[in-house]
Amino acid sequence: MRKRPGRRLPAICLFSAVLLLAAVCFSVWRSYHSLTVTTYRFPTDKAEGPVRLAVMSDLHEHVFGQDNAPLVEAVAEQRPDLILLCGDMLNAYSASSQNSTELVGALSKIAPVYYAWGNHELDYLAAGTSPLEEELVSAGATVLDRAWSDLDIHGTPLRLGGLY
C-alpha cells in the first residue's frame, strides 16, 4: 500500500503550529515570571556626577517571590538615587493596594520613591476601592499627579514631574 504524500503536509503544518503556540505561550509565561534589569546610560554635560534612577512600571500587582524580595534586592543592588514608579503598578479591579503599598514601603528604605499614575490607578481611584494616594504616601512615596518636585541629586538640579 502506497502512502499518499498529501496527508503528510497537513500533519507537519499542525505539528508546526502546535510547536509555535507552545513557544509563544512559554515566552509570555517567562516574561511574566522573570525579573530583568536593563541598564541605560545617558551622558550629559549638565550633571555634576552620575544620577542613578530605578524606573519601574506595569507590574499590575505581580509579586516576584516572597514579599517581592527578589525585586527589592535587584533594585538595591543598583544603588539608585531615586526610584520612579511610572504607573500601572496595580490593576483597575484590584481588591486593595496592598501589593503596591508594601512594595513602596520596602523600596522607600533604599531611596526616595516617586509615583505617577497610570490608567489603571485612575480607574482604581474612580472605583473608590481605597484612598490610594494616602496609602502610597503613608508607605513612603511622593505621588506626582500633575505636579513636580525640584530635587538636587549630588549637586545636579532635577525637576521631576508626574502627568498621566
Side-chain angles (χ1 to χ4, degrees):
M1 181 177 245
R2 230 170 102 183
K3 290 184 180 178
R4 287 189 238 162
R7 293 184 125 181
R8 287 186 70 179
L9 184 60
I12 291 171
C13 288
L14 178 62
F15 177 74
S16 298
V18 168
L19 193 60
L20 179 63
L21 180 62
V24 168
C25 289
F26 176 73
S27 295
V28 169
W29 178 88
R30 186 168 182 246
S31 71
Y32 189 74
H33 289 89
S34 63
L35 179 60
T36 304
V37 175
T38 305
T39 302
Y40 298 96
R41 296 183 194 284
F42 300 97
T44 177
D45 296 342
K46 297 178 182 180
E48 294 295 322
V51 175
R52 298 174 66 91
L53 308 174
V55 182
M56 289 179 274
S57 70
D58 294 283
L59 288 184
H60 293 281
E61 279 196 300
H62 184 74
V63 177
F64 291 94
Q66 181 69 29
D67 298 326
N68 266 320
L71 175 59
V72 173
E73 288 172 22
V75 171
E77 287 173 4
Q78 302 308 307
R79 299 183 334 271
D81 298 306
L82 301 173
I83 299 171
L84 312 178
L85 304 180
C86 302
D88 291 353
M89 301 302 287
L90 49 65
N91 291 306
Y93 53 81
S94 295
S96 76
S97 66
Q98 181 178 354
N99 287 343
S100 296
T101 54
E102 287 177 357
L103 178 60
V104 165
L107 293 173
S108 67
K109 294 174 184 167
I110 299 168
V113 176
Y114 289 83
Y115 197 114
W117 299 143
N119 63 306
H120 282 266
E121 282 85 1
L122 295 179
D123 291 342
Y124 179 90
L125 288 164
T129 308
S130 73
L132 181 59
E133 185 169 359
E134 293 171 26
E135 293 169 341
L136 292 169
V137 169
S138 292
T142 298
V143 177
L144 297 174
D145 177 24
R146 291 172 283 172
W148 70 86
S149 289
D150 287 324
L151 308 169
D152 184 284
I153 309 296
H154 311 298
T156 299
L158 181 68
R159 175 166 282 177
L160 184 63
L163 175 66
Y164 171 71

